[in-house]
Amino acid sequence: MKVSVSIVVTLVAFGLSALTRLERYEKYYHGAPAALELTVKDDRGQPVEGSHVQAYYWRPSGVSDEENKDTNAEGKVTVVGEGYTSVRYFLTKEGYYETEGHAELKMPEKDPEHFWERARWEPIIRDEVLKKKRNPIAGIAWSNARLKAPPVETPIGLDLEKMDWLPPHGAGEQEDVRVTTTPAAVWGGKKMSYNVVRVTFDFPREGDGMQLCEADTFSTFRTGYAADLSRPFVRHLVLDRTDKGIQVDLLPYTHYLTFRVRTQFNEDGTIRSAHYGFLYRLIATPAEFSVSLPFFNPRPNDTNLEFDPERNLVPEKELRRRRALRP
C-alpha cells in the first residue's frame, strides 16, 4: 500500500513538471495570475468604501493589463491580473488624495519549483491609506522655484514668501532665513567635484525655525495637515550629504521641512503672530538652488499646510516670468 501511494505521488509530481520548454516560455512571456489584496483606510484609520483601485501588471512582453475594482464597506478589495515582474496600483476617490503603490511579484514560499505548472504568484497583502481632503486653503506656492546659486560659504538672506534671495542676489524683501551652501571641494583636503553637499539654515529671529519631517511618499499630499506645534522649531538646521557621496539632492523626497517665520511675541512671552509653510525637495548645484513646491501660508497664526493648487495666490503671469528667468 505504501508503495502504490509513493508511485501516485511521483506521477503527480511528474505531471506538474511536464511542461515543454515552449509552454514554460509562454507562461513567462504572458505572465501568471497575481492577487493584490488591499485594505484601504483613511488617515484616521476608518475603512474607505468605494475607493477605486487601478492596477497594472507588468510582463516581459512590455504590455500591462489594467484591472479596475472598488473597495467594499470594510475597505477591502482583491484585484487579480496576470504579470511577471511587478504590479503598480493607484487608489482614488472623490474627496481624497490619490495613493500610489508598487510591489514586486514573488514566487510562492511553499513548493516554488512547481510555480510554472501551477502558475500563480504569492498573494500581495497590504494596508493602504487614502488621505482625506480636509481643508485645502489658498496660499503662496512657487512651483519648483529655481534660483541662481548663491556664493558658497556665505550666509545669504532668503525671503520665503517671495522665494527669492535678498538684494543684491535677488528681489526678496524680508530676511526669513540665512542660507549657507558648502561645496564638495571644501571637504577632505583634496580637489573634488564642485557640487553642493551641505546647506545650513540659520534663523535670525527668535521663535523662528525649521522642523525636519517624514513625507507621506505614497500620497499626492505628502506633508502633514498642519505644522506640529508640539515639536521645537530649530533655529540652526544643517542638511549634510557628505556621508552619501557627492550628491545634489540635499533634501530627498522622503522628507520635507516645515518652517515658522516672522514670529512676534506678546509681553508674556506667548506667540502673537507667526507664519508657517514647508519646503519639499531641495537640490543645489554650482549653477542653481532649487526647491520643489515651496508653500507659504499668508494667514498669520494659521498652521494649515494643506495647499489648494487651484487657489494659488501667485499670479500665473508671475509664475511664467519667474520660469523664464530660471538659471
Side-chain angles (χ1 to χ4, degrees), residues 24-227:
R24 281 177 173 267
Y25 175 77
E26 286 293 320
K27 286 184 178 292
Y28 164 82
Y29 192 76
H30 293 293
L36 177 64
E37 301 176 11
L38 301 178
T39 300
V40 183
K41 298 181 180 180
D42 64 16
D43 50 282
R44 290 173 173 166
Q46 297 301 312
V48 180
E49 181 180 6
S51 58
H52 183 67
V53 182
Q54 194 173 41
Y56 297 86
Y57 291 82
W58 296 95
R59 305 181 301 213
S61 60
V63 178
S64 62
D65 283 347
E66 178 184 320
E67 303 291 341
N68 295 272
K69 213 166 183 182
D70 294 341
T71 56
N72 61 18
E74 297 178 342
K76 296 182 179 295
V77 64
T78 298
V79 181
V80 179
E82 290 189 346
Y84 178 73
T85 56
S86 62
V87 56
R88 184 172 295 278
Y89 53 93
F90 303 87
L91 308 177
T92 56
K93 185 178 180 180
E94 187 174 353
Y96 294 79
Y97 294 99
E98 181 180 287
T99 285
E100 179 180 345
H102 177 266
E104 299 293 332
L105 303 183
K106 296 182 179 180
M107 292 279 192
E109 293 183 3
K110 295 181 179 180
D111 202 18
E113 65 270 18
H114 292 140
F115 167 76
W116 291 117
E117 289 79 359
R118 293 166 180 165
R120 187 171 298 276
W121 296 102
E122 190 79 11
I124 300 167
I125 304 172
R126 286 188 172 180
D127 294 334
E128 295 289 353
V129 175
L130 269 179
K131 298 178 71 174
K132 195 169 186 177
K133 294 182 179 179
R134 293 183 185 171
N135 183 28
I137 60 172
I140 298 170
W142 287 98
S143 179
N144 194 21
R146 300 174 65 180
L147 310 177
K148 183 178 180 181
V152 297
E153 295 293 346
T154 305
I156 305 296
L158 179 63
D159 186 329
L160 291 171
E161 180 179 7
K162 302 291 183 182
M163 204 57 207
D164 205 354
W165 307 116
L166 266 61
H169 307 286
E173 298 176 1
Q174 184 161 336
E175 184 183 53
D176 291 315
V177 61
R178 293 170 188 159
V179 181
T180 306
T181 58
T182 302
V186 173
W187 295 87
K190 58 182 179 179
K191 188 67 176 177
M192 300 175 70
S193 169
Y194 201 60
N195 283 336
V196 172
V197 293
R198 183 176 182 180
V199 173
T200 304
F201 297 95
D202 287 296
F203 290 82
R205 187 182 292 104
E206 184 181 354
D208 291 0
M210 275 182 172
Q211 300 171 343
L212 180 63
C213 309
E214 291 187 9
D216 293 330
T217 56
F218 59 85
S219 177
T220 54
F221 178 44
R222 301 183 184 278
T223 71
Y225 287 93

